[in-house]
């Protein structure tokens, strides 16, 4: 039974792929905000990350504290196999739906 | 709300995050936000970064998703440390989420509460500063003023120097000490001359009051001895102005009236001492000079302050003073048997005038707050079916009634908190308005501020509001039956809710009516006051006090010459129509009353009849346009002869000689033949003038006796001039003239007589405006509440109306159906208000003028106004009921 991804969950997973080893709350938020142009709340990002983690799509490890964060640690997220699978499927589905529609989408 | 260090994010927002986030999230979320904040601060500047941080903090803290049910399940896995705290936090976040779902409701409630809490806090601030906060002295409830009943005058706040000595020596049982104060004005001479007010005080004054200096020291015991070096204490304002608030001011000298004094200390700016011949005021002085007072027993000009010993009461003090008074009367011939010294507590004397007004306003504000709470309760009740379903589901899932009720209460408290915080802002603005518009007669008005006591009160108010407003929804929640509500048709609970809202609106209507009645009565009082004939015409009259120095004017003749010449010179100034002088201006504060008699019978009861005494220069009546109804004013011829003549008012004339002409009759009263002695004199009545409102526009007052200048030869006359030019010109002219004529003292600044008249009605107008404002707010809130009820009824019975219309009912009938409920509620509310009116308006008894507190006309008009407003509030939504489209309703219903 394949799970479907919500829109925001999709964006978050994509961000994780882009950011590779540097994927944590702040970077994910900035990535999505700058690429999509939407105002993203950190709280929303964390909520989604929690949900994805609960579904087993992502995992995390605790990073070192830094001075820039006032001595606080960060949670670094990574894609799990299940997550990779579901992301691939969702992205493929999206590609198929938009195949050949680029011109028409632009002139809508 | 920005942090202090350059790369620290806003402290308050960070604190909120720490408190609201769960422990698992905290470190990581805050770390992310801090990291990005610092980057943004580098790129966009602190301000924008701070704003971003706030936005993110609020959004994140509030949006961290959690539903009660899911949390309950997940709490299985991780045992919580503190059940209650977690539940509260849950409720808090759930409440915020619920409120965010209904932004319209949340905004309305917050604004309503902000207005109500803001107004309450502002009024409480005023109340606190004026009535409740003790005077800024050590244990002020033991401070008293010594007053004397002497020579027919009662409760005079001015005593003589030997009396101070006597008190110090003899009244040691109940009193810790006595201090003498005399306020005057003078000039700082030398370079940079300036007019200042200063007070001569005995050296023990500041220890007696319990005042500590800002800098240096206050006076020592030895400072007021005759041979002591001349020292002075300056006030904070003077210190800042002339010495740049430097500590080196201590030890420097300052010249007052050509005498050099060494500065030994600086006293706080808000230091004021109680002063006054009759009604007490707190007066401020720029500087303080120690002085031993000496003079003879008849010279009465000292204010005497005393401190009661711990354990002494005003009664024991009074008894001791009575004993001393009779001793003194025996020892000195100048006293008669009516002589009495009394001790009057300072605070009570100061505020007795304004207490009724403030209490009435507090009551009004309490009403507004209650209306606001009931409005909020009504709004919260009207949540609609959706809420009930949610509650029913949660009940079905196992939540207890208490739990649901607590959660609803939390919502109300959160709303109240939002309203409270906004209310503080409103209070701040209101206090700004009070500062602007407040009458000068409000004592200690400058001490009104949002202080910790007030903030505490505001917080308490807020919490209470939350609890009261949340009560109704809580009761509702307690009655929710899971099974019944989950069915589609939950009529019974709707009806119950509607009844409760109806009851709330009736309460609101009644309270609004009461406020309207109060405002109406005050309005009528002001109108009545406007129509009072004060006996003079203040428009176009300028007044200035012109004191003359004792040295150089020891004789009555030289004083008369000075003032007579001054008045003559004023009259020939361009623009001046008339000029004169009087010892105390009407409505300008200060009273001087004394006994009189006109027949053998009244002579035998000397002291029973008292009148207001004034000394006048010829030309006064013409200047202020007080009509001379019989006889004439004083003339130069009278002056040349030092004639024993007098002018009286109509009241006295009517009283003493009702059938005959008063002119030519003889009147007996007191005069001041030099040396401040009081001597009875018999004088011929040469004129009768219209009765004047001297002390208070609202009261008729005593009969009036105008003594010619030369009987008393006062050295402190108020010159008046009828002129079109502005007061500044007159002040300038007076300065030149007084210097030329050798006054020896500078004149005070001239003011428009009109200003004094305005001040007399200022308090009444202040109360009226405020009551009117409160009544307006109350009516508006009530109308909104009523509108809400009717609108709700219409929307919940839409289907029914559709059916009726389809079956042939007239739109008018539907309208009638809907209106009936609203009008019934209105009627009940107005009736309840009218019933309570007589009880409540009694609080206004001492404030109203010219109208009864149970005035029928006011009640009728006010009821009509409220009825009309309420009807409109009902009709507007009711009309929607008639426009229901039966076809659409039947189709979708």
């Amino acid at each position: 039974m394949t799970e479907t991804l919500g829109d925001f969950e999709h964006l978050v997973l994509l961000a994780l792929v882009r950011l590779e080893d540097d994927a944590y709350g702040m970077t994910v938020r900035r990535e999505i905000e700058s690429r999509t142009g939407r105002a993203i709340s950190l709280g929303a990002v964390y909520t989604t990350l929690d949900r994805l983690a609960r579904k087993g799509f992502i995992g995390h490890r605790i990073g070192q504290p830094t001075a820039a964060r006032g001595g606080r640690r960060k949670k670094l997220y990574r894609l799990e196999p299940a997550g990779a699978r579901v992301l691939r499927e969702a992205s493929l589905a999206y590609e198929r739906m938009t195949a050949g529609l680029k011109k028409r989408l632009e002139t809508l | 709300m920005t942090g202090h260090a350059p790369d620290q994010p806003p402290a308050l927002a960070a604190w909120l995050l720490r408190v609201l986030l769960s422990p698992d999230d905290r470190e990581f979320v805050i770390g992310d936000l801090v990291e990005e904040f610092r980057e943004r601060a580098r790129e966009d500047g602190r301000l924008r970064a701070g704003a971003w941080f706030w936005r993110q903090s609020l959004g994140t803290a509030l949006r961290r998703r959690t539903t009660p049910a899911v949390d309950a399940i997940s709490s299985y896995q991780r045992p919580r440390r503190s059940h209650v705290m977690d539940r509260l936090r849950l409720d808090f976040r759930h409440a915020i989420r619920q409120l965010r779902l209904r932004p319209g409701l949340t905004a309305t409630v917050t604004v309503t509460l902000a207005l109500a809490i803001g107004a309450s806090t502002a009024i409480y601030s005023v109340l606190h500063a004026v009535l409740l906060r003790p005077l800024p002295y050590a244990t002020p409830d033991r401070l008293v003023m010594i007053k004397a009943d002497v020579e027919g005058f009662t409760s005079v706040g001015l005593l003589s120097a030997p009396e101070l000595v006597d008190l110090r020596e003899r009244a040691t049982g109940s009193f810790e000490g006595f201090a003498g104060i005399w306020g005057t004005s003078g000039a700082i001479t030398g370079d940079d001359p300036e007019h200042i007010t200063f007070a001569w005080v005995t050296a023990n004054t500041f220890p007696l009051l319990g005042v500590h200096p800002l800098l240096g020291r206050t006076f020592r015991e030895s400072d007021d001895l005759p041979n002591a070096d001349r020292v002075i204490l300056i006030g904070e304002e003077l210190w800042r102005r002339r010495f740049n608030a430097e500590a080196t001011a201590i030890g420097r000298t300052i010249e007052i009236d050509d005498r050099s004094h060494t500065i030994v200390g600086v006293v706080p700016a808000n230091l004021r001492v109680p002063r006054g011949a009759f009604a007490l005021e707190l007066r401020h002085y720029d500087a303080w000079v120690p002085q031993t007072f000496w003079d003879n027993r008849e010279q009465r000009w000292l204010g005497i302050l005393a401190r009661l010993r711990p354990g002494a009461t005003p009664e024991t003090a009074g008894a001791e003073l009575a004993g001393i008074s009779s001793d003194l009367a025996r020892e000195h011939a100048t006293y008669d048997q009516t002589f009495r010294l009394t001790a009057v507590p300072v605070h009570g004397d100061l505020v007795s005038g304004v207490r009724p007004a403030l209490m009435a306003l507090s009551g009004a504000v309490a009403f507004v707050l209650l209306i606001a709470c009931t409005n909020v309760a009504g709004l919260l009740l009207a949540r609609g079916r959706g809420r009930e379903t949610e509650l029913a589901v949660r009940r079905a899932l196992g939540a207890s009634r208490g739990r649901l009720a607590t959660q609803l209460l939390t919502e109300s408290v959160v709303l109240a908190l939002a309203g409270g915080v906004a209310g503080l802002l409103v209070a701040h603005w209101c206090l700004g308005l009070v500062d602007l518009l407040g009458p000068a007669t409000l004592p200690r008005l400058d001490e009104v501020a949002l202080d910790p006591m007030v903030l505490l009160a505001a917080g308490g108010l807020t919490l209470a509001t939350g609890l009261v407003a949340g009560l109704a929804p809580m009761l509702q929640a307690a009655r929710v039956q899971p099974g019944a509500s989950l069915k589609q048709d939950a009529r019974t609970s709707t009806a119950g809710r509607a009844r409760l809202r109806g009851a709330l609106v009736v309460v609101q209507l009644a309270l609004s009516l009461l406020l309207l009645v109060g405002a109406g009565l005050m309005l009528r009082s002001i109108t009545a006051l406007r129509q009072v004939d004060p006996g003079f015409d203040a428009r176009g009259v300028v007044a200035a006090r012109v004191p003359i120095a004792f040295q150089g004017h020891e004789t009555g003749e030289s004083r008369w010459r000075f003032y007579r010449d001054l008045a003559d010179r004023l009259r020939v100034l361009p623009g001046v129509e008339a000029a004169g002088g009087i010892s105390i201006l009407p409505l300008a504060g200060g009273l001087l009353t004394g006994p009189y008699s006109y027949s053998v019978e009244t002579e035998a009861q000397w002291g029973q009849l008292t009148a207001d005494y004034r000394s006048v220069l010829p030309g006064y009546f013409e200047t202020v346009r007080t009509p001379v109804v019989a006889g004439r004013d004083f003339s130069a011829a009278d002056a040349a002869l030092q004639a024993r003549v007098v002018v009286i008012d109509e009241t006295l004339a009517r009283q003493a000689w009702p059938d005959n002409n008063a002119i030519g009759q003889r009147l007996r009263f007191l005069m001041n033949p030099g040396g401040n002695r009081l001597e009875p004199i018999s004088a011929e009545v040469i004129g009768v003038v219209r009765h004047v409102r001297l002390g208070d526009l609202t009261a008729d007052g005593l009969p009036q006796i105008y003594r010619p200048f030369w009987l008393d030869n006062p050295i402190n006359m108020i010159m008046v001039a009828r002129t079109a030019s502005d007061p500044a010109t007159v002040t300038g002219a007076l300065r030149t003239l007084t210097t030329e004529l050798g006054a020896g003292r500078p004149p005070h600044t001239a003011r428009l007589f009109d200003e004094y008249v305005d001040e007399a009605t200022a308090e009444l107008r202040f109360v009226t405006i405020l009551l009117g404002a409160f009544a307006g707010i109350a009516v508006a809130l009530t109308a909104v509440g009523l509108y809400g009820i009717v609108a709700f009824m219409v929307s919940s019975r839409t289907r029914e109306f559709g059916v009726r219309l389809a079956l042939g009912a007239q739109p008018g009938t539907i309208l009638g159906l809907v209106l009936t409920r609203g009008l019934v509620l209105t009627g009940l509310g107005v009736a309840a208000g009218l019933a309570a009116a007589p009880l409540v308006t009694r609080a206004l008894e001492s404030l109203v003028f010219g109208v009864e507190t149970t005035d029928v006309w006011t009640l009728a008009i006010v009821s009509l106004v409220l009825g009309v407003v309420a009807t409109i509030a009902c009709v507007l939504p009711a009309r929607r009921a008639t426009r229901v489209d039966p076809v659409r309703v039947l189709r979708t219903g």
Side-chain angles (χ1 to χ4, degrees), chain B residues 343-668:
Chain B
V344 176
V346 173
H347 194 216
D349 210 353
L350 276 174
V351 300
S352 56
V354 289
R355 191 184 292 270
L358 282 179
M359 298 315 268
L361 287 177
S362 311
V365 159
F367 282 2
V368 170
L369 200 61
L370 208 57
I371 293 183
C373 284
T374 48
N375 235 22
V376 167
L379 283 172
L380 291 177
L381 272 180
R383 287 302 199 76
R385 198 71 65 78
R387 208 68 214 285
E388 268 194 337
T389 315
E390 177 211 335
L391 292 178
V393 167
R394 296 182 63 197
R395 283 275 286 144
L397 285 178
S400 69
R401 280 214 190 96
R403 187 91 179 77
L404 288 183
T406 319
Q407 192 195 308
L408 285 180
L409 200 62
T410 314
E411 273 179 44
S412 314
V413 171
V414 167
L415 271 175
L417 273 173
V421 169
L424 278 181
L425 217 69
V426 170
H428 182 71
W429 292 330
C430 284
L431 287 183
L433 276 176
V434 166
D435 217 11
L436 229 64
L437 303 172
T441 51
L442 217 61
R444 306 170 70 186
L445 192 64
D446 53 336
E447 290 181 41
V448 172
L450 285 175
D451 67 18
M453 268 303 299
V454 174
L455 288 176
L456 208 68
L461 258 178
T462 307
L463 223 61
T465 310
L467 291 174
V468 167
L471 218 55
M474 250 181 76
L475 291 174
Q476 270 301 305
R479 272 190 261 131
V480 165
Q481 297 288 9
S485 316
L486 286 173
K487 297 195 217 130
Q488 273 292 59
D489 192 4
R491 276 307 184 87
T492 48
S493 56
T494 312
R497 250 210 319 265
R499 258 203 303 276
L500 193 53
R501 286 187 75 192
L504 289 176
V505 152
V506 167
V507 168
Q508 290 182 323
L509 282 163
L511 291 175
S512 297
L513 189 84
L514 291 172
L515 283 174
L516 280 174
V517 169
L521 287 174
M522 296 306 291
L523 213 63
R524 291 200 55 179
S525 299
I526 291 214
T527 327
L529 208 59
R530 285 246 175 83
Q531 291 165 347
V532 163
D533 175 16
F536 53 83
D537 183 4
R539 285 167 308 172
V541 175
V542 173
R545 189 176 282 282
V546 179
I548 52 180
F550 189 72
Q551 298 94 329
H553 296 284
E554 290 89 349
T555 62
E557 240 194 82
S558 82
R559 296 178 194 176
W560 163 244
R561 248 200 316 258
F562 174 84
Y563 282 114
R564 179 201 58 198
D565 292 342
L566 183 60
D568 288 337
R569 299 283 291 271
L570 276 175
R571 274 185 212 109
V572 298
L573 285 179
V576 174
E577 291 168 31
I582 190 168
S583 50
I584 301 172
L585 207 56
L587 299 180
L591 300 168
L592 196 66
T593 57
Y596 66 95
S597 69
Y598 49 86
S599 62
V600 174
E601 297 86 23
T602 51
E603 180 64 30
Q605 298 174 324
W606 180 255
Q608 288 282 37
L609 294 171
T610 51
D612 278 322
Y613 280 20
R614 293 290 184 275
S615 295
V616 291
L617 295 168
Y620 167 76
F621 299 115
E622 186 195 339
T623 312
V624 298
R625 298 209 178 133
T626 299
V628 178
V629 297
R632 59 177 179 81
D633 190 3
F634 302 113
S635 65
D638 298 324
L641 299 168
Q642 301 260 301
R644 302 211 155 180
V645 288
V646 68
V647 170
I648 61 176
D649 79 325
E650 315 170 284
T651 317
L652 212 172
R654 245 194 317 260
Q655 176 193 65
W657 304 285
D659 305 313
N660 305 338
N661 196 351
I663 309 297
Q665 305 279 7
R666 299 206 74 84
L667 185 74
R668 208 146 178 278

Side-chain angles (χ1 to χ4, degrees), chain B residues 540-867:
Chain B
V541 175
V542 173
R545 189 176 282 282
V546 179
I548 52 180
F550 189 72
Q551 298 94 329
H553 296 284
E554 290 89 349
T555 62
E557 240 194 82
S558 82
R559 296 178 194 176
W560 163 244
R561 248 200 316 258
F562 174 84
Y563 282 114
R564 179 201 58 198
D565 292 342
L566 183 60
D568 288 337
R569 299 283 291 271
L570 276 175
R571 274 185 212 109
V572 298
L573 285 179
V576 174
E577 291 168 31
I582 190 168
S583 50
I584 301 172
L585 207 56
L587 299 180
L591 300 168
L592 196 66
T593 57
Y596 66 95
S597 69
Y598 49 86
S599 62
V600 174
E601 297 86 23
T602 51
E603 180 64 30
Q605 298 174 324
W606 180 255
Q608 288 282 37
L609 294 171
T610 51
D612 278 322
Y613 280 20
R614 293 290 184 275
S615 295
V616 291
L617 295 168
Y620 167 76
F621 299 115
E622 186 195 339
T623 312
V624 298
R625 298 209 178 133
T626 299
V628 178
V629 297
R632 59 177 179 81
D633 190 3
F634 302 113
S635 65
D638 298 324
L641 299 168
Q642 301 260 301
R644 302 211 155 180
V645 288
V646 68
V647 170
I648 61 176
D649 79 325
E650 315 170 284
T651 317
L652 212 172
R654 245 194 317 260
Q655 176 193 65
W657 304 285
D659 305 313
N660 305 338
N661 196 351
I663 309 297
Q665 305 279 7
R666 299 206 74 84
L667 185 74
R668 208 146 178 278
F669 53 94
L670 292 177
M671 73 168 192
N672 222 333
N676 261 349
R677 283 188 47 74
L678 290 169
E679 218 178 72
I681 172 185
S682 170
E684 182 189 339
V685 176
I686 56 155
V688 178
V689 293
R690 167 120 328 133
H691 180 74
V692 163
R693 299 276 160 138
L694 280 183
D696 182 1
L697 274 179
T698 61
D700 228 3
L702 297 169
Q704 288 142 11
I705 295 178
Y706 295 91
R707 308 178 293 183
F709 180 90
W710 49 88
L711 286 186
D712 307 279
N713 300 307
I715 57 171
N716 214 348
M717 292 292 279
I718 298 182
M719 302 304 292
V720 290
R722 179 170 290 279
T723 170
S725 35
D726 73 272
T729 328
V730 175
T731 314
L734 276 174
R735 279 221 186 97
T736 327
L737 287 172
T738 52
T739 322
E740 261 182 59
L741 294 170
R745 287 266 186 78
H748 291 217
T749 323
R751 286 180 67 184
L752 288 171
F753 190 5
D754 248 340
E755 281 173 30
Y756 292 108
V757 177
D758 271 342
E759 276 172 17
T761 53
E763 193 179 300
L764 205 63
R765 275 181 290 137
F766 186 61
V767 173
T768 308
I769 292 175
L770 283 183
L771 270 184
F774 292 150
I777 295 177
V779 170
L781 288 176
T782 306
V784 165
L786 203 53
Y787 180 100
I789 286 197
V790 177
F792 182 74
M793 188 171 103
V794 167
S795 64
S796 61
R797 290 171 67 177
T798 312
R799 199 170 1 139
E800 176 197 335
F801 296 149
V803 170
R804 283 179 185 258
L805 285 172
L807 289 179
Q810 294 293 348
T813 326
I814 307 286
L815 195 69
L817 265 176
V818 174
L819 272 184
T820 312
R821 176 114 205 281
L823 292 177
V824 163
L825 288 176
T826 306
L828 283 173
V830 170
L834 286 174
L839 299 163
V840 169
T841 53
R842 208 175 298 170
L844 291 176
E845 206 130 86
S846 50
L847 293 171
V848 300
F849 170 74
V851 66
E852 294 288 319
T853 52
T854 53
D855 180 48
V856 174
W857 272 116
T858 314
L859 289 173
I861 294 178
V862 151
S863 306
L864 198 65
V865 167
L866 189 61

Side-chain angles (χ1 to χ4, degrees), chain A:
Chain A
M1 197 65 170
T2 41
E3 278 243 27
T4 42
L5 276 185
D7 166 58
F8 198 65
E9 290 173 337
H10 196 171
L11 291 174
V12 169
L13 287 180
L14 287 170
L16 249 56
V17 171
R18 256 188 215 279
L19 293 165
E20 289 179 356
D21 280 336
D22 197 28
Y24 59 101
M26 180 191 100
T27 48
V28 170
R29 195 199 75 81
R30 292 186 92 158
E31 189 71 24
I32 301 180
E33 190 170 82
S34 60
R35 282 190 179 270
T36 62
R38 301 187 207 169
I40 307 292
S41 140
L42 189 65
V45 169
Y46 268 95
T47 306
T48 308
L49 287 168
D50 282 350
R51 208 179 315 135
L52 290 170
R54 245 200 310 277
K55 296 182 189 175
F57 294 160
I58 60 179
H60 70 268
R61 64 181 174 86
I62 311 286
Q64 289 301 324
T66 67
R69 295 168 66 85
R72 298 180 182 89
R73 302 170 295 171
K74 51 175 97 161
K75 243 192 209 171
L76 293 154
Y77 291 89
R78 60 165 186 277
L79 212 51
E80 296 286 328
R85 202 174 22 250
V86 85
L87 177 60
R88 211 179 11 248
E89 279 169 17
S91 304
L92 277 172
Y94 196 70
E95 252 185 65
R96 283 186 222 117
M97 279 304 293
T98 56
L101 285 182
K102 186 162 189 274
K103 268 253 149 42
R104 285 171 65 181
L105 281 170
E106 276 166 19
T107 57
L108 274 173

Side-chain angles (χ1 to χ4, degrees), chain A residues 24-26 29-30 33 40-43 46-47 50 54 67-69 72-75, chain B residues 27-36 38-40 43 52 56 59-60 63-65:
Chain A
Y24 59 101
M26 180 191 100
R29 195 199 75 81
R30 292 186 92 158
E33 190 170 82
I40 307 292
S41 140
L42 189 65
Y46 268 95
T47 306
D50 282 350
R54 245 200 310 277
R69 295 168 66 85
R72 298 180 182 89
R73 302 170 295 171
K74 51 175 97 161
K75 243 192 209 171
Chain B
E27 187 182 355
F28 308 107
V29 171
I30 299 185
D32 285 340
L33 288 175
V34 167
E35 192 180 340
E36 188 161 354
R38 289 188 175 152
E39 278 188 39
R40 282 175 177 259
E43 285 166 28
W52 174 87
Q56 285 293 331
T60 307
R63 208 196 288 198
R64 278 303 267 149
R65 80 89 184 96

